[in-house]
């Protein structure tokens, strides 16, 4: 909406992001057409052949789908065979082939640490980690980060340079009136400092209601729900986007 040329890449076999852009991965990509086709080990397609327009002007997508789970099972065999490029470079090289067409590329990772997520981390220049402020989620995050650091060190040992412009934590699905959540959010800020984004992504029935019809808040409009609820949710979305945009501009050297 601000004029950026944006590509989103859905690396999650569940393909929720793809569904939210109006696609039906289980029907539209039953044979081919997902990001898997650009990173697979046998006869990969050029990246531009798996990118498609969405109904938002300036927003393209390389869709996900269940076929991506094959990448997790094929990669150990490919490692034994010495396939080139190695798994952690395949997504990176696919993006590099089209990056001149975009200002921003967002990669949505699956919620577990596997070859898909590692490939995404290597392909990225910055990392945004959503955190739900409860102790179970924070404990899981700590385990995830410990494992990710160890595995990325192994990739560094193979000669890769991983230098991120920024790594930020986004407090997500936040309920300010929830005392325990507020305490956990405070704990995150005390331990991670400025790495935690100032703005939070609120938990809101407005977002849930919009999602029922596969729409964003920008599409449903104020008249379709309680206006105060809508306004609070919209302010949260816009505030997070503004802060992220500032981080991106700093990484570009614009501020």
């Amino acid at each position: 909406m601000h004029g950026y040329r944006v590509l989103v890449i859905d690396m999650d076999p569940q393909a929720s992001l793809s569904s939210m852009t109006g696609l039906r991965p289980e029907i539209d990509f039953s044979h081919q057409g997902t990001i898997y086709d650009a990173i697979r080990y046998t006869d990969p397609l050029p990246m531009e052949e798996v990118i498609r327009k969405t109904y938002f002007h300036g927003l393209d997508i390389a869709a996900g789908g269940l076929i991506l789970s094959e990448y997790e099972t094929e990669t150990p065999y490919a490692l034994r065979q010495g396939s080139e490029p190695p798994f952690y470079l395949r997504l990176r090289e696919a993006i590099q082939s089209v990056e001149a067409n975009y200002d921003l590329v967002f990669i949505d990772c699956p919620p577990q640490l596997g070859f898909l997520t590692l490939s995404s981390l290597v392909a990225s220049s910055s990392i945004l980690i959503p955190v739900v402020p409860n102790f179970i989620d924070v404990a899981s995050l700590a385990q995830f980060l410990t494992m990710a650091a160890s595995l990325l060190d192994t990739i560094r040992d193979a000669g890769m340079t991983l230098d991120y412009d920024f790594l930020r934590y986004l407090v997500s699905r936040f309920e300010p009136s929830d005392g325990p959540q507020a305490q956990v959010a405070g704990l995150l800020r005390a331990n991670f400092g400025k790495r935690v984004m100032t703005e939070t992504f609120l938990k809101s029935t407005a977002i849930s209601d919009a999602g029922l019809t596969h729409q964003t808040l920008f599409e449903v409009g104020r008249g379709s729900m309680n206006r105060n609820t809508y306004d609070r949710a919209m302010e949260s979305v816009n505030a997070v986007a503004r802060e992220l945009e500032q981080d991106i501009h700093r990484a570009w050297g614009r501020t």
Side-chain angles (χ1 to χ4, degrees), residues 31-98:
H31 299 293
Q32 71 173 38
T34 69
I35 183 61
Y36 170 79
D37 295 316
I39 62 174
R40 67 192 184 197
Y41 295 98
T42 303
D43 299 324
L45 294 178
M47 183 67 163
E48 61 265 20
E49 292 189 19
V50 304
I51 294 174
R52 58 180 61 211
K53 302 290 184 184
T54 70
Y55 56 86
F56 283 108
H57 178 71
L59 179 64
D60 295 350
I61 185 170
L66 282 175
I67 188 64
L68 274 169
S69 60
E70 296 292 323
Y71 194 73
E72 298 285 359
T73 58
E74 292 168 352
T75 295
Y77 177 78
L79 287 170
R80 290 195 297 270
Q81 297 297 310
S83 299
E84 291 292 336
F87 81 91
Y88 53 85
L89 287 179
R90 302 184 78 84
L91 177 61
R92 181 174 180 165
E93 293 188 1
I95 293 173
Q96 287 174 342
S97 70
V98 298

Side-chain angles (χ1 to χ4, degrees), residues 8 20 27 44-45 47 55 57 64 68-69 72 84 87 106 113 125 128 227 235 238 244:
V8 291
M20 289 305 298
I27 297 174
L45 294 178
M47 183 67 163
Y55 56 86
H57 178 71
L68 274 169
S69 60
E72 298 285 359
E84 291 292 336
F87 81 91
F106 291 93
L113 188 59
S125 58
L128 178 65
R227 294 191 174 189
E235 175 53 32
N238 286 329
L244 179 58

